[in-house]
Amino acid sequence: SQQGEEDPQALSIQEGENATMNCSYKTSINNLQWYRQNSGRGLVHLILIRSNEREKHSGRLRVTLDTSKKSSSLLITASRAADTASYFCATDEGNRDDKIIFGKGTRLHILP
Amino acid sequence: NAGVTQTPKFQVLKTGQSMTLQCAQDMNHEYMSWYRQDPGMGLRLIHYSVGAGITDQGEVPNGYNVSRSTTEDFPLRLLSAAPSQTSVYFCASSGFEGYTFGSGTRLTVV
């Protein structure tokens, strides 16, 4: 069974706007990660947020984590055409190993 | 650094054939894993390894074998290929700040 679920499944916005994607998960976690996948390519790690962190920034990316609601959000500000991709959240299951489970992803399309 | 290297990039198999997908990493990561990605399904974990000599099953292990004789290599074996194994396969290794993925192997079983 999948641990994380992204919402929405697909999102289209105008270039320059902000894009927000959400992830909900089921069990306690040690950390949550966000990845990007361009069409036909492998996944690229974007950001990792630990369970004791509430917010993390990396360039135009802002990730929040609410462990009480078992949810996370990824905000991409000032979107660009190159941000068109699928975005996945991935969570561990609170175990000591590094095994992570991915959600089905959000397909983001930036319109010119 | 090469990161995670997967070979081959493309493969076509006939039903019943066997093959090995290769994965190698040069980052001295202990943790490695194999995923398959199908349309609309996201990534599903097949097998993973927390270090040399140690492997474990993920979400969808049936029809696949793995071994981890060295830290660097984590091959995935298809024992008797089936059309349901047509997919894109990704190998990944895990460092302190997240996973590094290979570029994938697109496998078609006819």
Side-chain angles (χ1 to χ4, degrees):
Chain A
S1 63
Q2 288 185 306
Q3 163 78 310
E5 249 183 69
E6 294 89 345
D7 170 62
Q9 291 186 358
L11 179 62
S12 292
I13 61 171
Q14 294 294 136
E15 191 168 10
E17 292 181 341
N18 296 341
T20 300
M21 290 157 272
N22 302 297
C23 172
S24 59
Y25 57 93
K26 298 173 185 173
T27 67
S28 61
I29 60 172
N30 294 318
N31 59 64
L32 184 145
Q33 304 177 47
W34 284 93
Y35 289 81
R36 183 188 73 233
Q37 184 181 34
N38 292 92
S39 180
R41 310 291 291 271
L43 279 76
V44 174
H45 179 258
L46 295 176
I47 201 163
L48 181 152
I49 186 165
R50 304 192 188 282
S51 59
N52 61 353
E53 298 175 309
R54 292 295 168 258
E55 188 170 311
K56 205 162 181 180
H57 297 255
S58 177
R60 293 184 296 114
L61 306 180
R62 173 176 166 253
V63 167
T64 61
L65 178 64
D66 187 335
T67 53
S68 66
K69 295 180 180 178
K70 292 187 170 57
S71 68
S72 173
S73 67
L74 170 67
L75 169 67
I76 304 174
T77 60
S79 63
R80 305 168 181 169
D83 295 328
T84 293
S86 291
Y87 292 82
F88 296 88
C89 71
T91 54
D92 58 40
E93 295 172 327
N95 300 318
R96 296 175 64 84
D97 63 31
D98 289 345
K99 182 176 72 171
I100 62 173
I101 304 295
F102 285 82
K104 295 183 180 180
T106 293
R107 294 186 308 280
L108 175 65
H109 185 56
I110 308 301
L111 303 168
Chain B
N1 274 349
V4 177
T5 303
Q6 283 184 243
T7 57
K9 292 192 184 303
F10 302 94
Q11 183 71 49
V12 178
L13 288 178
K14 294 183 179 178
T15 297
Q17 285 186 315
S18 63
M19 80 159 294
T20 300
L21 279 63
Q22 302 291 345
C23 177
Q25 52 96 5
D26 61 0
M27 296 169 286
N28 205 31
H29 288 164
E30 291 294 328
Y31 184 89
M32 296 183 74
S33 53
W34 277 101
Y35 291 86
R36 60 177 288 174
Q37 186 176 30
D38 302 294
M41 296 294 292
L43 281 85
R44 291 183 291 171
L45 181 64
I46 304 172
H47 285 285
Y48 65 101
S49 168
V50 299
I54 306 169
T55 64
D56 209 342
Q57 296 181 349
E59 302 169 272
V60 288
N62 292 339
Y64 307 95
N65 273 1
V66 292
S67 60
R68 186 90 180 274
S69 56
T70 66
T71 300
E72 294 78 20
D73 300 300
F74 191 42
L76 177 73
R77 297 184 188 84
L78 282 70
L79 305 174
S80 178
S84 61
Q85 294 178 304
T86 293
S87 187
V88 181
Y89 291 84
F90 289 100
C91 177
S93 70
S94 175
F96 184 67
E97 282 293 330
Y99 278 34
T100 300
F101 279 83
S103 56
T105 296
R106 188 173 294 275
L107 176 67
T108 302
V109 183
V110 298

